[in-house]
Amino acid sequence: MAFRSCVGVIFLGCLVVLASSAVPKAKGRKPVNPPTRTINDNEKKAEAEAEITNDCPEDGFFADAEQCDKYYECRAGNIIEKLCPDGMVFNDYSSQEEKCDLPFNLDCSARPKLQTPIPQLHCPRLNGYFSHEDPKECGKFYYCVDGKFNMITCPDGLVYNDKTGICTWPDEAKKKGCGAADVFDFDCPAVNETFGLTHPRYADPEDCQFFYVCINGNTPRRSGCKLGQAFDDVNKKCDWARKVPECADWYKGQLTDAELDALENPPTAKPAGSGGSRRKPNRPLKGSKAVEDEE
Ligand SMILES: *[C@@H]1O[C@H](CO)[C@@H](O)[C@H](O)[C@H]1NC(C)=O
């Protein structure tokens, strides 16, 4: 048995953020070449912050030196070996706190071993966030608690990134089969470099509420206007659907005029819709996820 004590792991509070924009990326964690646990001078130098010992350093909770979900409680010289719930790992930011967390944002590279998984339906381990079994279901994932799953769908246009446990843009997730070209039925029009740097926006030809932002002119990210609004491809911004000629009737059958009036706060006089949508006339199936606050 060997402990790690006083390990300088920075604790980042937020584990999982489901956001429709500006999703931060976690640091890359590559548990390759884990250091061996024999203590030598090099290792002491390399891990100046971590002290490997077989004795209870003091009362408190201490991480196992090899296994990220195993830890020890020391009380008056007695050592009790403990295990986090399957899927969680011991957070050793403070020896005074007994805390198991999901592995995102925790660095297990120096103690990469884990307990044998206890898989359940859709849950490779009892706890955690897991990709959908179907690799084509890029935006779906499971949240498992005690082996019970909940399927979660990322906001429109985002892809579940199993390295960070968050929904993010397809070009950021870099998930095989889930790139922008796989997920979106949209190609950014060719533009010159100068114009590309303005991240041009284009209406989604299939859905009035949505538009594509072409990052650097070439990488599409799908984004949405809020409920009641449509992307105005002339002025390149979201506006009330009734003010966007080709989308004037977009919410017909989904929202009543009174509801649209209520959304357009303060209510305005109803402009005559000019009809003749060049886009598909079916109304949106989903609600107003991934909306952009823009008026
Ligand atoms: C780039 O394209 C934009 C829009 O098409 C155009 O207005 C601009 O003059 C072009 N710039 C260059 C340097 O070609």
Side-chain angles (χ1 to χ4, degrees):
M1 168 159 45
F3 300 101
R4 278 169 73 88
S5 60
C6 339
V7 177
V9 172
I10 297 159
F11 173 62
L12 303 169
C14 109
L15 283 177
V16 171
V17 182
L18 297 177
S20 61
S21 64
V23 186
K25 281 167 76 178
K27 294 180 295 182
R29 287 170 280 116
K30 289 196 181 119
V32 284
N33 301 327
T36 54
R37 289 295 97 191
T38 47
I39 299 167
N40 57 41
D41 285 348
N42 281 347
E43 192 178 341
K44 270 186 194 156
K45 253 176 243 164
E47 298 197 354
E49 84 281 22
E51 190 184 313
I52 312 295
T53 167
N54 287 321
D55 299 316
C56 259
E58 56 181 357
D59 280 5
F61 304 93
F62 301 94
D64 182 74
E66 298 184 333
Q67 185 171 329
C68 206
D69 56 7
K70 194 199 250 185
Y71 62 101
Y72 304 95
E73 179 174 3
C74 290
R75 279 292 158 246
N78 294 318
I79 301 168
I80 309 155
E81 186 179 311
K82 293 189 161 186
L83 212 51
C84 291
D86 183 34
M88 304 183 87
V89 294
F90 180 67
N91 187 334
D92 61 354
Y93 76 105
S94 160
S95 66
Q96 296 315 302
E97 292 210 39
E98 184 174 14
K99 203 166 189 306
C100 292
D101 278 325
L102 291 178
F104 309 107
N105 294 326
L106 275 170
D107 184 3
C108 285
S109 57
R111 42 188 182 114
K113 288 187 186 168
L114 291 170
Q115 63 189 284
T116 307
I118 309 164
Q120 302 289 320
L121 181 65
H122 301 313
C123 301
R125 287 187 182 273
L126 292 181
N127 301 281
Y129 294 85
F130 304 101
S131 289
H132 198 282
E133 301 88 341
D134 183 351
K136 288 197 190 77
E137 292 286 6
C138 297
K140 291 197 167 79
F141 61 101
Y142 298 105
Y143 176 45
C144 296
V145 178
D146 294 334
K148 304 259 185 316
F149 75 91
N150 248 310
M151 197 181 76
I152 301 174
T153 303
C154 292
D156 268 311
L158 301 188
V159 160
Y160 176 66
N161 183 343
D162 49 7
K163 287 184 214 79
T164 55
I166 54 180
C167 295
T168 183
W169 302 106
D171 60 286
E172 277 185 352
K174 295 189 174 61
K175 201 166 156 187
K176 225 179 161 192
C178 295
D182 307 298
V183 174
F184 304 134
D185 188 19
F186 183 83
D187 292 317
C188 288
V191 293
N192 63 44
E193 199 180 334
T194 317
F195 189 59
L197 290 175
T198 68
H199 313 308
R201 298 164 157 212
Y202 306 93
D204 181 341
E206 307 281 320
D207 191 325
C208 273
Q209 199 182 346
F210 286 83
F211 59 92
Y212 290 95
V213 182
C214 287
I215 303 299
N216 300 321
N218 51 37
T219 305
R221 290 179 178 178
R222 192 168 183 261
S223 206
C225 304
K226 60 186 175 187
L227 190 69
Q229 294 199 332
F231 187 74
D232 178 348
D233 209 22
V234 176
N235 297 308
K236 299 292 181 191
K237 63 184 194 65
C238 294
D239 202 349
W240 297 108
R242 291 186 279 189
K243 292 180 185 165
V244 182
E246 70 269 25
C247 295
D249 296 330
W250 180 251
Y251 292 99
K252 267 221 167 90
Q254 186 192 11
L255 295 172
T256 63
D257 285 342
E259 285 168 332
L260 281 170
D261 280 338
L263 287 169
E264 298 179 27
N265 190 23
T268 53
K270 191 173 110 187
S274 58
S277 175
R278 64 174 171 82
R279 300 182 189 167
K280 286 193 178 169
N282 33 342
R283 67 185 180 85
L285 295 168
K286 289 178 195 136
S288 57
K289 286 185 247 163
V291 296
E292 182 171 273
D293 273 337
E294 189 176 300
E295 293 186 58

